[in-house]
Amino acid sequence: MRRIACIGTVAALVVAGCGKSGEYQPTPAQSVQPAVVARGEERVLFPLRAGNQWVYTIEDQQRRGNQSASRTAEAVFRVASAEPAGDGVKAVVEVTVENTVSERQTWLVDSTGIYQLAGGRAGVTYEPKQPAILFPVDTGRTFQWKGKGLMPDGTTGTGTLNNKILGPQEVDTEMGRMSAFCVETSGTFQSQRGQGRMRSMVWWAPKVGLVRWRMELSVGDFGAVQTLRLKSYTLK
């Protein structure tokens, strides 16, 4: 039936959704203000202070030959320690999945950008340091990394990554839609599994940190798609 009368207590609940004609009018979606960060203050894109914590929902899909598997889990990223480094901060971030520390990452945030220094369960060092985003965060800016360390498939090797800052974008998270600066990365690598390719999209929100991450990779007969979406965060 097309006509629905707004009456009684129901009217009080849905009055915003009933127009003069008595037909349903959807509530307009709330707009998200584009992310903005002032020059010289870009470090707010990744607040590194001991005790800061981010909780993510992980969706992981893997295939090997004709076999495939998928799972959903929760990951907690917690700044275990932080110390001054030049004009910035170097921090160790522990990643816990299913109550087990699965990785220890080392990060550096200074006046020039956000860099990952090490990653993996054993803390494999990136040589040279691997930039996640460079400052200022000008839309269209490109940068490259070429070196050795932990590769996207979780084994060690060498690789080349080409990055481009796409600017602020609206993105879905477990906390709702947010605006964050997006970095698109594509590259090739040679790991213990063989030669591979990868592509990722990472979104950084001011005064929050990493809010969403998606990566696709293939190496030999192995392929994976992994997505992280921010569920909650606590900043000290």
Side-chain angles (χ1 to χ4, degrees):
M1 298 181 61
R2 291 181 57 81
R3 297 186 61 188
I4 302 176
C6 294
I7 59 176
T9 57
V10 176
L13 295 174
V14 299
V15 64
C18 291
K20 293 182 180 180
S21 66
E23 294 186 356
Y24 172 73
Q25 298 292 327
T27 302
Q30 289 188 342
S31 60
V32 177
Q33 293 297 319
V36 176
V37 63
R39 285 179 180 259
E41 299 180 5
E42 295 93 345
R43 279 175 267 197
V44 298
L45 291 173
F46 197 12
L48 290 180
R49 190 172 184 178
N52 285 0
Q53 178 174 288
W54 301 264
V55 181
Y56 299 93
T57 296
I58 302 177
E59 293 179 358
D60 189 21
Q61 299 176 325
Q62 298 185 5
R63 62 165 177 80
R64 186 182 298 277
N66 296 324
Q67 306 261 324
S68 62
S70 62
R71 72 162 182 162
T72 300
E74 183 176 277
V76 179
F77 286 58
R78 181 179 178 276
V79 180
S81 64
E83 62 183 22
D87 66 354
V89 177
K90 183 171 74 170
V92 174
V93 177
E94 291 185 343
V95 181
T96 302
V97 179
E98 297 178 349
N99 299 316
T100 300
V101 176
S102 62
E103 186 175 2
R104 286 181 173 84
Q105 304 174 348
T106 304
W107 290 85
L108 171 68
V109 178
D110 63 19
S111 60
T112 65
I114 299 173
Y115 304 87
Q116 188 168 1
L117 306 183
R121 191 182 299 273
V124 179
T125 300
Y126 288 103
E127 299 178 13
K129 61 187 179 183
Q130 189 177 97
I133 188 170
L134 295 183
F135 304 152
V137 288
D138 294 332
T139 300
R141 181 177 185 178
T142 60
F143 53 98
Q144 187 184 75
W145 176 84
K146 185 175 183 179
K148 63 181 181 178
L150 190 72
M151 293 297 105
D153 64 351
T155 67
T156 57
T158 59
T160 300
L161 302 179
N162 298 296
N163 308 273
K164 184 175 184 178
I165 300 175
L166 302 184
Q169 297 181 349
E170 283 192 30
V171 63
D172 288 321
T173 75
E174 296 292 306
M175 298 182 67
R177 290 187 71 79
M178 304 177 73
S179 180
F181 289 91
C182 180
V183 179
E184 181 181 45
T185 302
S186 62
T188 59
F189 59 91
Q190 181 71 41
S191 73
Q192 294 171 340
R193 284 195 172 114
Q195 179 137 17
R197 304 184 66 85
M198 66 81 66
R199 180 178 181 271
S200 70
M201 305 277 281
V202 184
W203 290 265
W204 301 90
K207 298 182 180 180
V208 180
L210 189 153
V211 298
R212 187 179 173 101
W213 176 82
R214 187 178 191 277
M215 181 184 70
E216 304 173 18
L217 71 89
S218 62
V219 51
D221 66 347
F222 176 79
V225 178
Q226 190 172 75
T227 304
L228 273 71
R229 294 194 305 273
L230 183 66
K231 187 176 181 180
S232 66
Y233 67 97
T234 303
L235 302 182
K236 301 294 185 180

